[in-house]
Amino acid sequence: MSEAASNVVTIEGKEYDEAALADDSKYFIAQIRDLQAKQAKLKFDADQIQAALNAMTNALIASVNKEDDTE
C-alpha cells in the first residue's frame, strides 16, 4: 500500500484523496482528527477515574466493615 493511500478519507461511503480536497475540507478533517484524539484521551482519563473511585469505595467499605467487626 502506498503512502498516498493512507491519505484517503471516506465520507458517506465515498473515498476522497485528502490532498485533492479544498483547504476548508482539509481543515475540517484536521479538526475531526483532533477531536477524536481528545475524545479518546477523555475516555482513557474517565476509565482511570472510575477505577480509582472503585478502589476508594472498596477501601471505604473494607474500613467500615473492619470497624463493625471490632465493635
Side-chain angles (χ1 to χ4, degrees), residues 34-68:
D34 184 58
L35 289 166
Q36 288 171 329
K38 287 177 181 177
Q39 182 183 45
K41 170 82 168 84
L42 287 170
K43 184 182 180 326
F44 183 83
D45 291 345
D47 289 345
Q48 285 182 335
I49 292 167
Q50 188 61 57
L53 279 168
N54 291 344
M56 291 299 136
T57 300
N58 291 336
L60 173 60
I61 291 167
S63 174
V64 170
N65 287 339
K66 183 179 176 182
E67 289 177 18
D68 287 344

